[in-house]
Amino acid sequence: MTTLEQSTGSSLIPTLGGRWYTDPAVFIREQERVFEAMWTCAVRSDEVTTPGSFRRVQVGRESVLVVRGRDGALRAFLNVCRHRGAQLCTEDSGQVRTTLRCPYHAWSFGLDGALVAAPNLARMPDVDRMANGLVPVHLQEWLGYAWVCLADEPPSFAEDVRGAVTERLGDPAAIEGYDVGGLRLGRRIRYDVAANWKLIVENFMECYHCATIHPELTDVLPEFARGYAAQSFVGHGAEFAAGAEGFTVDGSAGFAALPGIDAEQDRRYYAATIKPTVFLNLVPDHVILLRMTPLAVDCTVVECDWLYAPEVIESGQDVSRSAELFHRVNLQDFDACERTQPGMASRAYAAGGVLVPAEHHLGAFHDWVRERLA
Ligand code: FES
Ligand code: FE
């Protein structure tokens, strides 16, 4: 563990200045260059199972529909009627029989997006039904989620999404054993956080705060009390305390380890940030996936999913003690982010703050933000 103590260069390096977290113009640029340009983890595939079921999600400034087709495929479309632009679906989720029907003038679109019916359409034989169909959005499925991208030419999913996990875990096969796509949702909690999304990313990436605000987490993962995040080191998983039987709020036993993980992954916690808006946490018996939806420069919705082996869910086992640990961590983290947000607007933070060695890897995130917005 000696590497955990090592650092190079000067102790303090600068952060981004406060306006990066408060300026609406920066946020608009982030919507263009980040959220609308990169892959967004939109919905769990198994929440859109039957043909005609749909979910509505916000991606940057766009409302997007994820729809299950009659052929079983998931597709995504902009939630905008091609007639005169009314929002097609005004519910967050729903089920239609065969078409998505606009509530304004009743243009109806098939589950593949094509225009299939409209008042007097038969008297307009020149209307091209595909050209006037819903605008498609790129979609990929991975880890049991549908990921969407608004870009005309999306960045490589293999590099940007899978690659982010590989970069953290050190091996593309390391994620496979958790079979995240085969897990089932055991608990979901939505947090409305009054903080800029970058504060939440930075908080997730460092553990300098762990000893101060995460007593339950550091009881289970004692090395976190030393301030170094597992994310600072490729392939490193934080080891459970000798006395911790499982990753639970009181260190009591959790569930059976997921069958595919290897011996090295047992009794360890791994974390990965999939920029820009996904945090992945891996422990032997479950997976916790957080998705952010930045709504404004100082307002971010975070949805946290706790995923368990199907047999845990089907047998009706109580996941409360298991989910409670990270729920407390979330509350502690988001409380810290909300306490930080007002400071971003202070003249004391106009030129930014500083990163200590245990946080120096956040500098790479700041460089990444600067480059994307340049
Ligand atoms: Fe949708 Fe007219 S705007 S049918
Ligand atoms: Fe934290």
Side-chain angles (χ1 to χ4, degrees):
M1 296 296 277
T2 50
T3 53
L4 295 182
E5 309 294 352
Q6 289 170 357
S7 68
T8 54
S10 56
S11 293
L12 300 179
I13 62 173
T15 68
L16 297 173
R19 63 170 280 272
W20 290 81
Y21 305 84
T22 59
D23 185 345
V26 169
F27 186 69
I28 288 174
R29 212 162 169 80
E30 288 172 342
Q31 285 176 312
E32 290 169 0
R33 301 284 186 88
V34 179
F35 313 125
E36 295 169 14
M38 300 183 70
W39 288 98
T40 294
C41 185
V43 301
R44 274 191 66 69
S45 304
D46 67 6
E47 292 182 287
V48 194
T49 48
T50 52
S53 58
F54 69 86
R55 294 254 159 179
R56 182 181 66 160
V57 291
Q58 188 71 25
V59 180
R61 292 160 295 182
E62 297 282 4
S63 174
V64 173
L65 295 176
V66 177
V67 186
R68 180 75 66 182
R70 305 208 75 75
D71 56 358
L74 275 180
R75 295 181 181 82
F77 307 102
L78 296 182
N79 183 19
V80 177
C81 178
R82 293 300 304 284
H83 174 220
R84 299 236 322 276
Q87 196 171 79
L88 205 56
C89 296
T90 53
E91 305 287 323
D92 283 338
S93 63
Q95 169 78 51
V96 297
R97 276 170 53 102
T98 52
T99 60
L100 296 156
R101 183 173 184 264
C102 179
Y104 196 176
H105 313 88
W107 278 34
S108 297
F109 302 89
L111 304 179
D112 61 354
L115 174 65
V116 294
N120 309 327
L121 186 61
R123 278 183 253 150
M124 299 180 273
D126 57 319
V127 172
D128 183 325
R129 301 191 178 205
M130 284 315 288
N132 289 282
L134 299 177
V135 175
V137 171
H138 296 279
L139 183 147
Q140 293 257 357
E141 288 183 79
W142 191 50
L143 303 180
Y145 288 80
W147 303 65
V148 299
C149 181
L150 293 173
D152 292 337
E153 295 195 6
S156 162
F157 192 87
E159 282 175 29
D160 269 26
V161 180
R162 292 173 187 262
V165 176
T166 301
E167 191 186 335
R168 184 56 41 230
L169 301 183
D171 175 2
I175 185 74
E176 303 300 337
Y178 293 87
D179 186 24
V180 186
L183 303 183
R184 298 263 304 274
L185 185 66
R187 178 76 47 99
R188 168 173 291 167
I189 299 179
R190 169 190 161 129
Y191 306 86
D192 290 274
V193 187
N196 183 266
W197 68 281
K198 296 189 294 299
L199 290 181
I200 300 172
V201 173
E202 292 161 10
N203 173 273
F204 185 75
M205 289 177 75
E206 57 94 354
C207 209
Y208 192 45
H209 65 272
C210 289
T212 326
I213 71 172
H214 294 320
E216 301 89 350
L217 184 64
T218 49
D219 276 352
V220 176
L221 304 174
E223 74 183 63
F224 275 11
R226 299 163 65 211
Y228 287 86
Q231 294 197 54
S232 319
F233 307 96
V234 174
H236 178 69
E239 198 169 7
F240 288 10
E245 290 181 60
F247 194 76
T248 58
V249 71
D250 53 4
S252 59
F255 305 103
L258 297 168
I261 66 167
D262 63 30
E264 174 65 15
Q265 292 168 324
D266 201 2
R267 296 187 57 77
R268 281 183 188 269
Y269 162 94
Y270 296 86
T273 303
I274 306 174
K275 291 194 295 286
T277 51
V278 174
F279 308 135
L280 187 62
N281 304 275
L282 308 168
V283 290
D285 63 336
H286 64 286
V287 169
I288 305 160
L289 189 140
L290 295 101
R291 290 172 288 156
M292 291 191 293
T293 305
L295 295 180
V297 72
D298 57 356
C299 173
T300 309
V301 171
V302 185
E303 271 191 297
C304 184
D305 288 350
W306 283 261
L307 306 166
Y308 295 90
E311 45 278 19
V312 170
I313 303 301
E314 284 156 13
S315 63
Q317 295 186 70
D318 182 9
V319 302
S320 299
R321 277 177 303 133
S322 172
E324 179 66 16
L325 174 53
F326 224 80
H327 172 53
R328 287 197 198 176
V329 169
N330 286 338
L331 292 175
Q332 292 154 351
D333 279 332
F334 301 151
D335 184 54
C337 293
E338 290 189 336
R339 204 171 323 116
T340 304
Q341 181 66 29
M344 299 296 102
S346 166
R347 65 199 69 195
Y349 208 79
V354 291
L355 301 171
V356 300
E359 302 169 305
H360 278 186
H361 57 293
L362 271 60
F365 172 65
H366 295 153
D367 290 342
W368 178 84
V369 171
R370 279 194 203 90
E371 280 164 25
R372 287 217 66 108
L373 270 55

